[in-house]
Amino acid sequence: MRITPVLVLLVLLLARPIPALAQSATPAVASPVPARGDFAGLVDIGGRKLYLECHGEGSPTVVLISGYRSSGRYWTDDLLHPDAPRTMVLPGVAETTRVCTYDRPGAVATSGEDLLVSRSDPVAQPRTTPEAVVELHALLQAAAIPGPYVLAAHSWGGFLARLYASTYPDDVVGLVLVDAYSERVETLLPPARWAALVRLNQALGSTTVVPLAGYGDEETVDYYADNAVVRAAVAASPLPPMPLAVLAHGRPFDLPAEILAPYGLTAAELEAVYRANSESLATLVPQARFFVASQSGHDIHQDQPELVVEAIRQVVEGVRHPDTWYDLASCCATNPTSGQAQNATPAASPAAGVKSTAIVVSATNDPLRVPGSDGVDHLEYDLLVTNGFTAPVTLTSIAVLASDGEPLLQLDGDALVTATQPLIGRTPTAAIPASGTVAVVMDVTVPPDRAVERLDHRITYEVAPDAPVRSLIGSFGIDGPQLPVDPRPTTILAPPLRGDGWLANSGCCAAASIHRGVRVPVGGARIGKPETFAIDFARLRDGQPFAGDGARPEDWYGFGAEVLAVANGAVVAVHEGYPEQIPQQPVTHVTTPEDFGGNAITLEIAPGVYAYYAHLQPGSITVAVGDQVTTGQVLGRLGNTGNSSGPHLHFGLIDDPDPLVGASLPMAFDHWTLQGNFDLAAYDARDGDVPAGLILLDEPEPQTGTLQLYLDVADFG
């Protein structure tokens, strides 16, 4: 269960239940706070103590300020995925500079059903925004946290940060405002509607003091009443020119009409006001950068922490090297459209220092890691490159680097052309047509013991010298996107078949594989990758998949093989009634998306993990929806139904029961033997009936917890 912290303006998020209070040990008092290294403890600010946590080293010091009623845990802890935590903002920033966060009295965080209360001493509530500013300054002074500071602040914390910058102007050299509230919201609404919004806030408890059992009062601030104070302060001491990044949420809030309607408000109106507020904050100084985190709600630092880390990193670099602020890669350029890794939509003008380009680059997904049978781990994703220019564009190089700068992959020349494909199909593509989009299949390999948290990219391209208005292009190189490696582990499975000679006729990770090139637009919002790790199994005997001319399904050596459950699970979908196709002939009976798999079974083997089996024999399926199955149980027999040109088993893991909507998930088999590989080019070029293509190893290689790769031949025992 996720409970979003209180959001100023859209206060429906205030009306939340209070989960069970989680008790934890209070950190020991520590003083003084070291200028480098790790620190987490209580700091005495004169009669009471505040919890402070600092990591990393370097200048400027980044101070992370949480939103209303929200503790520092929102910067340090993965509250959305506690069982498989990602790198969150504070540890991510600590790789670049010194960074600290703290708990205000009465602030909380929620994780599952637990309410994690502030680790600072409680105080009587309510308080004011100016009091919170004085408190933060006292903490930084008492802990001797070295300045200058970059303040990175969320929601009401942005309101607090701007007042701090006006109150202590010599201390602040940079700002990152994350979906921040400001006094400008009041002026963006007609007076009557602003008054209605205030009444709604109050009715939902925004200014009601709530006692927390075993602690004290929950943080309570009438920040609306502080608008005039902040407005006067920023007018008297306006923000001087400095690096400023503003991030706004892109995923609209779910605001029930029945709550808004009595106050004459609508969700669309409030969403528009909040966006306008964020855009206005990007006008506080020249060359500010404004971006929309298209896959985030209000808690961008929890939904997409890598975006906030990148914004802070660029502001820090802008502080360290002011002359390079114009030349920095655009803030949060992890990707410009929607999807798992298509995160941040740039909304800055060229005045913000971002150079014009002919292309826009995004990704289908955050890189997914899987151990391969070749002894290395593979990081899989596609780059999507859109040509927004008047003439064709030719990619000339793509370099992939680890976050520490180590080169991991270089694509250029023929290798780059081979990896570049149209969105539909696998034809190698050298040029991107005007207003066209291509996909670049990215297969980055690393040793199994090499930790990789992020992949950086450097991309170069060319446009013909005589192309119309070529002078509009300000840069022929792009630094980005920066993609965090998906932390989810590989799912280990039992094989879905028995016996030897099983060829991965399609699979991961080569660009030539049919599965690796499958891309499906989903919901009008993203380009999905449903088959990246899926395998088409066809059986070989003496290097051949069938006897004679293979005109009948029965001629194929894999036809009729028992198909097995790869894990314990529940049957969630069964599709039946499809006849066998005639091998090597155009398919029939495929007229809807549901027809592609023919006779098929879907198992749920873990929450959000579905095993999909397709092209099974008519009448062979032995299970029904709702059945519980066990590992190794026979589910059906290998056939040639649906979109199939020859008998084979299509098998893979996806994160949705719909095989076209779901994203392919990394998988590996617990125990199997690599018999050899298949040379498809040699097989296609064979002369007459002479077997060609199968290359057996002198000594078969036992495999444990690896994925059978494209054109591997496996013995499953």
Side-chain angles (χ1 to χ4, degrees):
M1 176 181 181
R2 182 198 178 187
I3 307 295
T4 306
V6 174
L7 166 64
V8 288
L9 176 62
L10 302 176
V11 294
L12 299 178
L13 300 177
L14 278 167
R16 68 183 194 275
I18 300 297
L21 184 64
Q23 301 292 341
S24 60
T26 302
V29 178
S31 183
V33 176
R36 63 180 63 190
D38 298 334
F39 172 83
L42 294 171
V43 175
D44 193 319
I45 63 168
R48 61 185 176 92
K49 304 177 184 68
L50 294 180
Y51 176 83
L52 177 70
E53 184 170 347
C54 299
H55 299 277
E57 61 181 289
S59 180
T61 298
V62 174
V63 180
L64 304 173
I65 305 173
S66 296
Y68 185 48
R69 289 179 172 169
S70 300
S71 75
R73 295 181 193 270
Y74 281 91
W75 302 103
T76 61
D77 296 2
D78 192 338
L79 302 173
L80 298 183
H81 307 286
D83 295 331
R86 302 158 293 166
T87 300
M88 303 309 289
V89 173
L90 187 142
V93 174
E95 298 177 4
T96 299
T97 194
R98 187 69 166 162
V99 56
C100 301
T101 192
Y102 71 111
D103 285 359
R104 290 188 302 273
V108 299
T110 56
S111 180
E113 296 299 322
D114 291 333
L115 183 73
L116 306 171
V117 300
S118 174
R119 293 157 288 189
S120 296
D121 290 346
V123 298
Q125 303 286 347
R127 300 201 299 162
T128 66
T129 305
E131 287 173 339
V133 167
V134 171
E135 176 184 77
L136 174 57
H137 186 257
L139 173 63
L140 297 175
Q141 296 300 304
I145 302 300
Y149 307 127
V150 168
L151 304 182
H154 173 246
S155 192
W156 173 70
F159 193 54
L160 189 159
R162 290 178 51 240
L163 182 57
Y164 189 103
S166 292
T167 307
Y168 306 102
D170 295 337
D171 292 351
V172 180
V173 292
L175 281 174
V176 178
L177 301 177
V178 182
D179 224 29
Y181 172 77
S182 85
E183 74 286 356
R184 299 180 175 201
V185 171
E186 182 175 352
T187 63
L188 292 170
L189 281 168
R193 300 180 81 72
W194 167 254
L197 180 61
V198 172
R199 291 196 305 274
L200 173 59
N201 272 275
Q202 293 169 342
L204 292 174
S206 68
T207 56
T208 301
V209 177
V210 178
L212 299 172
Y215 175 77
D217 293 339
E218 188 175 29
E219 180 175 63
T220 307
V221 176
D222 188 358
Y223 41 83
Y224 290 156
D226 291 334
N227 281 349
V229 176
V230 173
R231 191 176 293 113
V234 299
S237 179
L239 200 65
M242 65 174 61
L244 166 64
V246 178
L247 281 75
H249 72 270
R251 196 171 63 219
F253 294 102
D254 184 13
L255 302 172
E258 61 269 21
I259 295 180
L260 296 176
Y263 296 87
L265 301 169
T266 67
E269 177 186 33
L270 295 182
E271 192 71 37
V273 167
Y274 208 75
R275 175 60 59 82
N277 170 68
S278 294
E279 291 173 349
S280 75
L281 291 175
T283 67
L284 289 172
V285 297
Q287 290 82 48
R289 298 176 180 179
F290 172 60
F291 284 79
V292 177
S294 59
Q295 292 302 298
S296 285
H298 182 52
D299 298 336
I300 301 172
H301 51 337
Q302 280 286 313
D303 290 335
Q304 295 175 275
E306 72 280 359
L307 297 184
V308 182
V309 171
E310 175 60 11
I312 294 172
R313 184 193 70 80
Q314 293 202 11
V315 168
V316 167
E317 285 300 306
V319 170
R320 290 173 174 171
H321 309 289
D323 292 340
T324 69
W325 180 243
Y326 286 98
D327 297 326
L328 287 173
S330 64
C331 162
C332 318
T334 302
N335 284 309
T337 55
S338 63
Q340 287 186 5
Q342 301 160 329
N343 296 318
T345 303
S349 68
V354 181
K355 295 182 178 179
S356 60
T357 58
I359 60 175
V360 174
V361 185
S362 60
T364 53
N365 55 275
D366 291 340
L368 290 160
R369 184 166 182 161
V370 69
S373 58
D374 53 359
V376 295
D377 283 8
H378 294 251
L379 298 163
E380 299 301 306
Y381 58 104
D382 291 359
L383 292 178
L384 302 177
V385 186
T386 297
N387 177 4
F389 194 56
T390 60
V393 167
T394 300
L395 296 176
T396 54
S397 70
I398 297 178
V400 183
L401 303 93
S403 55
D404 60 6
E406 178 188 353
L408 299 179
L409 176 67
Q410 178 73 28
L411 289 176
D412 49 31
D414 290 343
L416 179 54
V417 172
T418 299
T420 305
Q421 305 173 345
L423 291 184
I424 301 297
R426 292 174 291 120
T427 305
T429 302
I432 311 171
S435 299
T437 299
V438 299
V440 184
V441 174
M442 302 301 295
D443 174 30
V444 180
T445 58
V446 296
D449 59 353
R450 172 65 157 99
V452 182
E453 293 187 353
R454 189 186 76 209
L455 297 182
D456 298 342
H457 300 79
R458 294 175 183 167
I459 301 171
T460 61
Y461 63 94
E462 294 177 349
V463 174
D466 59 349
V469 293
R470 188 177 187 273
S471 58
L472 288 176
I473 303 174
S475 174
F476 290 87
I478 294 175
D479 287 333
Q482 291 188 332
L483 303 176
V485 174
D486 194 307
R488 80 185 76 193
T490 297
T491 301
I492 306 300
L493 307 169
L497 296 159
R498 297 192 187 99
D500 61 3
W502 289 108
L503 167 68
N505 192 44
S506 188
C508 194
C509 298
S513 168
I514 293 174
H515 285 176
R516 193 58 188 80
V518 172
R519 300 170 197 92
V520 179
V522 177
R526 62 182 175 88
I527 300 295
K529 294 286 294 180
E531 298 186 354
T532 298
F533 304 102
I535 299 175
D536 281 350
F537 294 99
R539 199 166 199 177
L540 301 178
R541 288 183 184 170
D542 298 325
Q544 298 280 11
F546 51 77
D549 61 6
R552 302 178 307 151
E554 295 83 357
D555 296 336
W556 292 65
Y557 298 124
F559 184 73
E562 291 182 335
V563 173
L564 312 174
V566 295
N568 297 340
V571 180
V572 296
V574 172
H575 294 275
E576 293 186 279
Y578 294 93
E580 298 285 9
Q581 301 283 0
I582 299 174
Q584 306 178 85
Q585 297 297 318
V587 300
T588 59
H589 309 289
V590 177
T591 59
T592 70
E594 292 75 17
D595 300 335
F596 273 78
N599 300 318
I601 300 170
T602 304
L603 307 179
E604 184 173 20
I605 62 172
V609 180
Y610 300 88
Y612 179 63
Y613 304 76
H615 313 306
L616 304 179
Q617 271 190 12
S620 72
I621 294 176
T622 63
V623 295
V625 172
D627 287 355
Q628 297 293 319
V629 302
T630 58
T631 304
Q633 179 177 333
V634 176
L635 305 177
R637 292 184 179 273
L638 185 149
N640 191 43
T641 58
N643 187 43
S644 178
S645 60
H648 72 283
L649 171 67
H650 173 98
F651 174 79
L653 298 185
I654 46 180
D655 66 0
D656 188 280
D658 187 326
L660 292 179
V661 170
S664 184
L665 299 177
M667 66 180 187
F669 300 127
D670 52 5
H671 299 291
W672 63 286
T673 300
L674 178 64
Q675 294 180 272
N677 306 100
F678 195 76
D679 187 334
L680 190 59
Y683 180 79
D684 289 340
R686 69 192 184 281
D687 184 13
D689 294 330
V690 178
L694 180 61
I695 305 171
L696 294 175
L697 298 174
D698 293 335
E699 295 185 11
E701 297 178 358
Q703 301 279 323
T704 302
T706 62
L707 176 65
Q708 181 183 359
L709 299 178
Y710 178 51
L711 299 180
D712 280 354
V713 180
D715 182 352
F716 293 129

